[in-house]
Amino acid sequence: MDGSTRLDPLATKWLVSDRVLVEAGRELEPLAIGVDGSEIVALSEPETVRRAAPDGLLDFGSRPLAPTFVNGHVHLAMAPLRGIASVQHRLGDLVADVFFQIERHLTEADVFVFSKLGAYESLLAGVGEVWDHYYFGEAVARALLEVGLTGVVAPTLQDEGGPFSDRVDEEFAAAICIHENPRYGRAGIRAALGPHATDTVSDRLFRRVADTASSVRLPVHLHLAQSEHEMEVGQRRGGVAQRALGFLQGCSVLAAHGLYLSRKEIEALVEAQWVLGFCPLSQVQFGTLGPARPWLEAGGALTIGTDCVASNDALSVQRELPWLGAQNSLWAGFSE
């Protein structure tokens, strides 16, 4: 760290505290953090920054500063649907029979307002970044911008069923707009391509996603092996994981849920360096255990998500973490 009185000119704001968590397992230590927009650009001694008293100084004294949580898979705009996943609804196809039926009536204005609500709740739960996947993607990005939450927005792409299968071109355009708009980039808001799930995505759309991901260098965020219906459709197309992997080979992919993946499929996806979006509470509620344990045993990386408020009504990653720790017990309970 630079102990001189000259501060890094790149920093437009300084956060100072006598108790900063720099790394897990280390003791809290004094630190001044220089930021520019959404990026950390400098570190310095706290007293150096306090003496200089630059514009934009936020001095937290002895109050601790720590990194926020990252919600690796969420649908902020489903914030009003808390409590809707009743036992009766779970008996059928919750996605198609309940969520799709509600979502087909949403407008862009609805998604903007509901996403703002979900974004505020995320901040209250200590979440500083979200990986969101939803319809009217640019409305989600604008909501993040207004609230001050960072994230990666994947506008939902589907062309074979689902509420907005006629909006493929608009959602592709939304992803490119988020990616290219410097205002979003400066605020820490980025884009991903979001094929919904393999049963609502045609071969043609998968090829378009793969080509765009490669040419524009965007990650892909999709649902994979999340429902029995998806698996039934996938079997007729040569397998869910095999089909997705065939189209998206070489792409940077976050695959949410993966409930029905075999060990062989998990090993193939891990070898391709896909990341699993693991949402423990969602899976416990629906009685289908996610593949966190075999995924980790295969050497794969995973990220923790909350899914939507129907599964975690506070959108709190902290609420999910104990269920990750309980995987060995759950594995015994769910296994033969």
Side-chain angles (χ1 to χ4, degrees):
M1 292 186 295
D2 182 6
S4 69
T5 57
R6 182 167 183 164
L7 300 183
D8 194 310
L10 293 176
T12 58
K13 183 181 293 185
W14 284 90
L15 312 178
V16 181
S17 172
D18 296 323
R19 301 169 65 210
V20 179
L21 178 63
V22 176
E23 184 179 347
R26 279 173 57 172
E27 301 231 347
L28 300 180
E29 57 192 83
L31 188 65
I33 305 168
V35 298
D36 179 36
S38 63
E39 296 184 351
I40 294 175
V41 295
L43 301 175
S44 185
E45 297 289 348
E47 293 312 313
T48 299
V49 177
R50 285 170 173 147
R51 283 195 301 270
D55 293 337
L57 171 63
L58 294 175
D59 193 338
F60 293 90
S62 61
R63 286 176 290 172
L65 289 181
T68 59
F69 290 97
V70 175
N71 190 335
H73 177 69
V74 68
H75 311 287
L76 293 178
M78 297 176 75
L81 301 186
R82 51 179 34 85
I84 201 170
S86 65
V87 174
Q88 180 181 358
H89 285 152
R90 292 180 215 164
L91 295 176
D93 186 334
L94 185 69
V95 174
D97 297 340
V98 180
F99 292 158
F100 279 0
Q101 300 310 313
I102 295 171
E103 289 168 334
R104 67 177 70 254
H105 298 286
L106 292 176
T107 66
E108 184 173 0
D110 294 332
V111 171
F112 174 65
V113 172
F114 296 158
S115 295
K116 283 181 67 175
L117 176 60
Y120 280 123
E121 292 194 299
S122 296
L123 289 175
L124 290 174
V127 170
E129 177 174 311
V130 295
W131 282 68
D132 191 272
H133 190 304
Y134 211 61
Y135 311 101
F136 299 102
E138 197 173 358
V140 177
R142 286 191 286 111
L144 296 183
L145 189 65
E146 284 208 9
V147 172
L149 184 65
T150 67
V152 179
V153 178
T156 296
L157 303 169
Q158 54 189 188
D159 62 347
E160 292 189 344
F164 296 102
S165 57
D166 58 342
R167 281 188 52 85
V168 172
D169 292 337
E170 289 88 343
E171 298 299 356
F172 259 107
I176 300 302
C177 174
I178 297 167
H179 174 64
E180 294 181 345
N181 189 325
R183 190 179 179 203
Y184 288 135
R186 183 169 173 77
I189 300 167
R190 293 148 288 151
L193 296 171
H196 176 261
T198 62
D199 56 332
T200 62
V201 178
S202 69
D203 289 358
R204 179 181 178 184
L205 180 52
F206 257 135
R207 281 192 290 269
R208 184 177 178 185
V209 168
D211 291 344
T212 305
S214 176
S215 62
V216 186
R217 299 180 65 82
L218 290 177
V220 176
H221 180 180
L222 82 162
H223 301 84
L224 185 71
Q226 70 167 357
S227 69
E228 293 179 9
H229 179 266
E230 183 186 358
M231 299 307 293
E232 292 172 3
V233 173
Q235 286 176 351
R236 298 195 294 268
R237 292 175 165 177
V240 166
Q242 295 86 340
R243 178 168 173 255
L245 189 57
F247 284 112
L248 302 177
Q249 190 72 266
C251 296
S252 177
V253 180
L254 167 61
H257 307 313
L259 301 184
Y260 300 96
L261 295 173
S262 69
R263 285 185 178 273
K264 184 176 180 180
E265 290 169 331
I266 288 171
E267 289 170 359
L269 296 175
V270 168
E271 185 179 355
Q273 298 186 323
W274 288 25
V275 175
L276 175 67
F278 183 55
C279 305
L281 271 174
S282 177
Q283 291 145 27
V284 169
Q285 283 193 27
F286 294 99
T288 305
L289 191 62
R293 178 172 166 176
W295 191 277
L296 292 173
E297 288 174 349
L302 60 79
T303 180
I304 300 297
T306 63
D307 209 2
C308 66
V309 295
S311 303
N312 181 330
D313 62 1
L315 298 180
S316 171
V317 174
Q318 297 178 68
R319 186 178 289 182
E320 301 286 344
L321 290 174
W323 290 98
L324 174 62
Q327 284 303 297
N328 283 339
S329 298
L330 291 172
W331 192 263
F334 275 79
S335 69
E336 293 180 0

